[in-house]
Amino acid sequence: MLPVWLRIPALVALPTAGALLLNQATAPAGQWTNALQLLAAFTALLYAWRLLAVQEVFVWARLQATSAWPLVWLAWLHGLHGTNLVLVALAVTIPAAALMMIGCSLSRRLGGAYLGLRGRIGPSFPRLTGVFVVALLAALAAPPFPGFFAMFAVLKQVPAGLAAVVLAVWLLWSWAAAALWQHGLFGDQWPRTAGTVDLSRSGAALWLVLAAAAAVLGSIGGWSWWMH
């Protein structure tokens, strides 16, 4: 298995490369299109449904990204090409990569037996918890993050039947995120292990600046795309 410092860049690079390759390909016609649509819709729904049973942030991020990528295929099959396709792939992937990094940080602080959020981590790690909440909002494609506009780009591209699938996937992401919040932000307080420290102020500030920049760029880019 690849180490984390390789898996996270690969998580971003592979779907981006895939979108670039799709831009060079011609969408199939006839029965092949129908088969790919069914496969993409089933995969997106399956992995979105599996999120509901996951409490470990690293695994949650991986499954959420796997659920998002078939939506890029659906958009491509219905005519989304060029830079827009690459931007959609990045918008639904980068938040998952950020969550994977946060999951690794939680694992280091909560111990080697960490198998998922099972208690309130806010009092012990308030800055890390704040960053986690913002990253989770970005991952479930909440406004004004770029994923929100990427989902609208997909919805605009696909026909009504597939739009219902995209909306169902989006709803399942929100449901799964609410369940993750319930486990990690409510309930009994998770005791801090001796020797562990919260995310530094500078680290938290950097995360939040990056999130704010993503939100601003997402709003500007989304508005430009919508007006276009």
Side-chain angles (χ1 to χ4, degrees):
M1 182 179 295
L2 289 175
V4 172
W5 60 273
L6 284 178
R7 294 175 70 179
I8 292 175
L11 183 75
V12 177
L14 291 177
T16 305
L20 291 171
L21 289 174
L22 287 176
N23 279 329
Q24 306 301 317
T26 301
Q31 292 183 348
W32 282 106
T33 298
N34 294 333
L36 284 175
Q37 287 182 150
L38 287 173
L39 179 61
F42 175 77
T43 303
L45 285 168
L46 174 65
Y47 282 95
W49 180 258
R50 287 188 63 191
L51 281 176
L52 297 174
V54 175
Q55 298 177 24
E56 206 280 325
V57 177
F58 193 94
V59 176
W60 198 99
R62 188 177 62 197
L63 293 179
Q64 192 269 337
T66 306
S67 173
W69 294 333
L71 304 182
V72 181
W73 276 83
L74 289 177
W76 172 73
L77 287 170
H78 290 277
L80 187 66
H81 299 292
T83 304
N84 287 339
L85 185 69
V86 177
L87 290 177
V88 166
L90 284 172
V92 298
T93 302
I94 291 176
L99 270 180
M100 288 178 72
M101 294 175 65
I102 292 169
C104 293
S105 184
L106 285 168
S107 179
R108 288 196 300 270
R109 287 168 170 82
L110 302 179
Y114 167 64
L115 296 175
L117 298 178
R118 299 185 301 277
R120 203 156 38 102
I121 60 173
S124 298
F125 307 103
R127 289 187 289 273
L128 182 58
T129 302
V131 169
F132 165 62
V133 169
V134 173
L136 195 57
L137 285 171
L140 60 87
F145 292 103
F148 176 77
F149 300 100
M151 295 296 285
F152 267 99
V154 175
L155 286 169
K156 182 180 178 183
Q157 204 71 34
V158 300
L162 288 176
V165 172
V166 175
L167 289 173
V169 169
W170 205 350
L171 178 62
L172 286 170
W173 291 353
S174 301
W175 185 5
L180 198 61
W181 270 320
Q182 181 181 4
H183 289 293
L185 303 181
F186 304 98
D188 296 332
Q189 181 177 340
W190 193 306
R192 177 184 289 188
T193 304
T196 60
V197 295
D198 192 13
L199 187 66
S200 66
R201 288 185 175 85
S202 58
L206 177 60
W207 273 101
L208 295 179
V209 166
L210 291 174
V216 170
L217 291 175
S219 297
I220 295 173
W223 178 255
S224 300
W225 164 81
W226 188 263
M227 293 302 294
H228 176 74

